[in-house]
Amino acid sequence: ANEFRGINIKGPDRGSTASTQGYNCIVSANTVKTVGIAGSNGIGIGADRGDILISANIVEDAGYKGILCPHGSAAITDFRIITGNAVRCGSTATSGIEVVPSSAGINAISSNTVRGALAGIRVRSVTEAGKNFTITGNSVDTGAPGSDAAIYLSGATYNLERFVVEGNVLAGAY
């Protein structure tokens, strides 16, 4: 199935690196509505590179994930900051905000409002240890029966290190 993105910051994991890539980007003050099909292929904002600030956006009804910052096999040692966004997903969306952290950069998810997804905020480490991460001041309500968690941390085969999770308001995971 095709993947649809409302806003896409292309990186090396989205195909050929011979074409233009997104670096040192700011995605701010946008409204993204109804992207993709419920539960399968819609991503409101996708950023496949680091050195990214995603702030003050409204994402409504992304079919799969509200905001996604993966990095797959690319080594990223820079920053990913996601702050002040409002993400409202349907109950079939897997995550409101999902990040694969870098091992040496600054990673922060702060002051966001997330509603409706199976996992409100999901942080997963895939190809290396996830380090230097803060999740603070967010309001998360999954509100969906069978939801995973309001905040879901997953180390897969690698460790999560130096994480701070504090001052969040969580509801709805059951």
Side-chain angles (χ1 to χ4, degrees), residues 69-114:
C69 292
H71 76 74
S73 60
I76 293 179
T77 57
D78 41 30
F79 66 88
R80 290 164 179 232
I81 299 173
I82 302 172
T83 186
N85 298 285
V87 179
R88 293 181 286 280
C89 296
S91 62
T92 57
T94 59
S95 54
I97 296 173
E98 183 170 323
V99 176
V100 176
S102 69
S103 63
I106 298 168
N107 301 277
I109 299 174
S110 67
S111 303
N112 298 285
T113 301
V114 180

Side-chain angles (χ1 to χ4, degrees), residues 2-174:
N2 292 327
E3 180 181 277
F4 300 99
R5 293 181 177 205
I7 296 174
N8 180 39
I9 308 299
K10 187 176 184 281
D13 293 329
R14 297 279 299 162
S16 170
T17 57
S19 61
T20 304
Q21 305 291 306
Y23 297 100
N24 300 315
C25 295
I26 296 173
V27 179
S28 185
N30 299 286
T31 300
V32 178
K33 293 184 176 184
T34 316
V35 179
I37 299 168
S40 68
N41 62 357
I43 296 170
I45 298 171
D48 291 313
R49 284 303 300 169
D51 282 346
I52 184 119
L53 169 63
I54 300 174
S55 69
N57 297 286
I58 298 170
V59 178
E60 293 182 357
D61 197 24
Y64 187 49
K65 298 176 190 299
I67 297 173
L68 174 65
C69 292
H71 76 74
S73 60
I76 293 179
T77 57
D78 41 30
F79 66 88
R80 290 164 179 232
I81 299 173
I82 302 172
T83 186
N85 298 285
V87 179
R88 293 181 286 280
C89 296
S91 62
T92 57
T94 59
S95 54
I97 296 173
E98 183 170 323
V99 176
V100 176
S102 69
S103 63
I106 298 168
N107 301 277
I109 299 174
S110 67
S111 303
N112 298 285
T113 301
V114 180
R115 302 282 182 264
L118 292 173
I121 295 173
R122 179 180 205 146
V123 177
R124 59 187 178 89
S125 184
V126 177
T127 60
E128 57 187 290
K131 300 178 182 176
N132 308 318
F133 212 107
T134 60
I135 301 174
T136 58
N138 298 285
S139 174
V140 180
D141 185 350
T142 59
S147 61
D148 289 334
I151 296 177
Y152 183 87
L153 306 177
S154 169
T157 56
Y158 295 88
N159 294 326
L160 300 175
E161 302 173 22
R162 295 191 295 275
F163 268 63
V164 175
V165 179
E166 65 183 10
N168 299 286
V169 177
L170 311 174
Y174 49 91

